Amino acid sequence: MTKDVIALTPKMPDLPTLLAGLYAGGPDLGVNTTADGAVVQLCAPDGRPLVSVEAPILVQVPGETARLLGHAVQEGPVWWTEARASTAVAEAGRLAGSFAGRLATVLGGTVWPPEAATTDVVPLTTDVSAIPVPTTATPAVDVLTATTAVVIQDRPLVAMTSWLSDALRVAAESDRALHIVTPPTARLTLPTRTALRGAPNRWVVQGPERGYYDGLSGAELHWKNGTFTPVRDEDGTASVAEAFKAAPETGERQLLLTLRTRHPADADLVLGRALEAAFRHLTGAPPTGWSTAEPVNLPWSTSQLTDLARARAPRPSWLIAIGHPDRPALATMRVLRTTAGVEEDITLALGYGGNETPPRQAIEALAAELDAEHGLVTLFTSLRAARRDLTVPAQLEPPPIPVSFTLGHDEARSTGPPHAEQPPLGPTPTRVGPSAEPALHYPLGDGTEPHAWSTFQRLSQHLKQQA
């Protein structure tokens, strides 16, 4: 499996320190750069990469290294320097460990995983001339075929790192699927799960007896014609792996919000305020940090994320925001320029233990503020039995169950107030905001009643039949 090693240091690794780490293989190995200098590579004498090192990033968000690595570091900001070893050369993993160990020794930090740390010189004994030249220049990709980019991960928690984000982008641009292969003990962060949801991308779990299955659907998989594809019987039916069994009930829950806002595209627009309002209503505080990948490294700032989205426009921007470690809360936000204005598509997940009560009663007040101040289009809220830490195991998880749906006042007006307020089979909405142009808040259940899906489907069909 691919060996990822991370040096966590209180000081920024400068160029001399990075070079000292990269010469862990001795003077015969070379060093070059790719991605406009953002990635430094330790190379075999023939030029093929053995270890790729991404530019260090300063993680300023409390609890972020522990969330992703389960590895506590000293209080305060920490520099995260990640090295990724080639899977094709036996010494590459040890070289990555020696690189990280040297950085930690010089700068006074630590290494993840701790057992990888060393400062030894690792001589290259493998005859690399007998190993095929890599078919891709993307360091995160281990196998590349005509249809699929395969990334092999042995991390306990697979995050949407910049490595993985780049692999996903390259795969999409070349019309390929991205398949991430992990052991069955691995889990995904919610941003990674979101990226892999739906064809052609896939989470491939290496199950017992060298079989494979899809970590999100449980379908048994095999490698065929250069990609992982479901194993089907004579009737064409895909079978579900025995290992994909339901997780035991723990009482833990996740409150899930999916909301869309729309704003005029003017120079004074500040993005992220709707997301901040959701955090304040449901956690009592704004997000602690944001970023375009994991780890989430920047302190929360609506002005900075607005500047980023404006610089990228008209291309869409995808962002991650996270809350304080005491209350697991994680959101993704996609900013999109449309003919109607600037839209924010936001998903927010909050985790609760068996002895904690999700704040369903706060949703209506949140909906009122979103509609009055932040251009609410729609807000859908649901509840599911799932892990408090918001990670995704390779096990069957029950689907979320609807709690409520809110239609912003502009959408209610375009639908037709009499029509929107009188679904023939319910539910009866609550008027939220000014009586002249209210938003409509529809209660759907307490998050424990599966029939709430039928209620929501009937409501959706009714609202689409505009008066």
Side-chain angles (χ1 to χ4, degrees):
M1 285 248 175
T2 296
K3 193 66 173 178
D4 297 338
V5 186
I6 301 166
L8 302 166
T9 59
K11 299 178 182 178
M12 179 181 179
D14 57 15
L15 184 58
T17 307
L18 288 172
L19 289 175
L22 287 165
Y23 281 112
D28 294 334
L29 302 185
V31 176
N32 64 24
T33 61
T34 63
D36 297 324
V39 176
V40 181
Q41 293 180 323
L42 177 62
C43 301
D46 67 350
R48 74 186 64 209
L50 302 174
V51 177
S52 299
V53 179
E54 196 167 61
I57 61 173
L58 181 61
V59 179
Q60 305 173 69
V61 178
E64 184 65 351
T65 59
R67 178 180 76 90
L68 297 181
L69 305 177
H71 183 76
V73 296
Q74 66 276 3
E75 291 294 324
V78 63
W79 287 92
W80 174 300
T81 308
E82 187 160 345
R84 183 173 177 82
S86 167
T87 54
V89 180
E91 294 85 2
R94 290 164 50 216
L95 282 167
S98 184
F99 163 80
R102 290 174 178 223
L103 260 62
T105 298
V106 172
L107 302 173
T110 61
V111 172
W112 180 92
E115 64 273 13
T118 179
T119 57
D120 295 342
V121 173
V122 181
L124 181 62
T125 59
T126 299
D127 180 10
V128 294
S129 64
I131 300 173
V133 176
T135 55
T136 173
T138 304
V141 175
D142 296 284
V143 178
L144 189 70
T145 72
T147 61
T148 306
V150 179
V151 175
I152 304 172
Q153 290 274 273
D154 64 351
R155 299 161 86 129
L157 185 61
V158 182
M160 184 48 63
T161 62
S162 55
W163 297 104
L164 203 52
S165 179
D166 183 58
L168 181 63
R169 177 188 59 80
V170 170
E173 290 176 351
S174 61
D175 200 27
R176 288 181 170 92
L178 179 70
H179 289 181
I180 300 178
V181 181
T182 75
T185 54
R187 291 169 284 120
L188 306 183
T189 65
L190 284 180
T192 306
R193 175 184 178 167
T194 300
L196 294 180
R197 182 181 291 125
N201 302 323
R202 196 183 293 277
W203 178 17
V204 180
V205 178
Q206 186 169 6
E209 300 178 3
R210 298 189 177 183
Y212 297 92
Y213 64 94
D214 189 298
L216 299 179
S217 71
E220 291 186 337
L221 304 172
H222 59 172
W223 181 256
K224 184 178 181 182
N225 298 328
T227 193
F228 285 99
T229 187
V231 178
R232 301 186 184 276
D233 59 22
E234 295 179 355
D235 297 328
T237 303
S239 55
V240 176
E242 287 292 330
F244 190 73
K245 56 188 176 182
E249 173 59 46
T250 63
E252 296 180 48
R253 295 290 184 271
Q254 292 177 7
L255 185 65
L256 308 174
L257 284 75
T258 303
L259 66 109
R260 171 173 291 184
T261 67
R262 184 180 298 129
H263 316 273
D266 59 49
D268 296 327
L269 173 63
V270 178
L271 298 168
R273 288 178 171 171
L275 178 58
E276 181 174 304
F279 266 81
R280 288 187 183 278
H281 272 265
L282 300 174
T283 73
T288 58
W290 75 284
S291 185
T292 57
E294 294 175 294
V296 175
N297 66 310
L298 299 171
W300 176 250
S301 170
T302 54
S303 61
Q304 288 182 4
L305 69 86
T306 300
D307 290 343
L308 177 94
R310 184 171 284 121
R312 290 184 172 183
R315 295 172 298 161
S317 293
W318 185 82
L319 312 169
I320 304 170
I322 194 167
H324 192 276
D326 291 345
R327 164 55 58 219
L330 192 150
T332 61
M333 183 171 80
R334 186 171 184 262
V335 180
L336 185 65
R337 182 74 166 88
T338 70
T339 56
V342 179
E343 297 189 355
E344 298 170 299
D345 285 328
I346 299 169
T347 61
L348 170 61
L350 304 102
Y352 300 89
N355 59 346
E356 298 174 309
T357 302
R360 293 183 291 109
Q361 73 284 351
I363 299 300
E364 184 175 325
L366 169 61
E369 179 177 335
L370 292 175
D371 184 67
E373 301 180 22
H374 304 296
L376 178 67
V377 178
T378 57
L379 168 62
F380 177 66
T381 305
S382 59
L383 194 65
R384 70 180 301 173
R387 293 174 61 109
R388 182 183 187 273
D389 64 9
L390 306 179
T391 65
V392 183
Q395 291 178 296
L396 177 65
E397 291 188 311
I401 298 176
V403 171
S404 64
F405 177 73
T406 306
L407 199 64
H409 73 268
D410 282 342
E411 296 298 302
R413 184 179 63 246
S414 63
T415 301
H419 180 81
E421 292 185 47
Q422 298 176 14
L425 299 176
T428 301
T430 301
R431 288 176 153 226
V432 176
S435 58
E437 285 194 327
L440 300 177
H441 181 72
Y442 301 85
L444 301 172
D446 63 1
T448 64
E449 304 157 333
H451 65 78
W453 274 116
S454 298
T455 304
F456 177 61
Q457 289 168 355
R458 290 195 305 269
L459 174 63
S460 298
Q461 292 169 358
H462 174 74
L463 293 175
K464 289 176 182 178
Q465 300 166 355
Q466 296 184 7

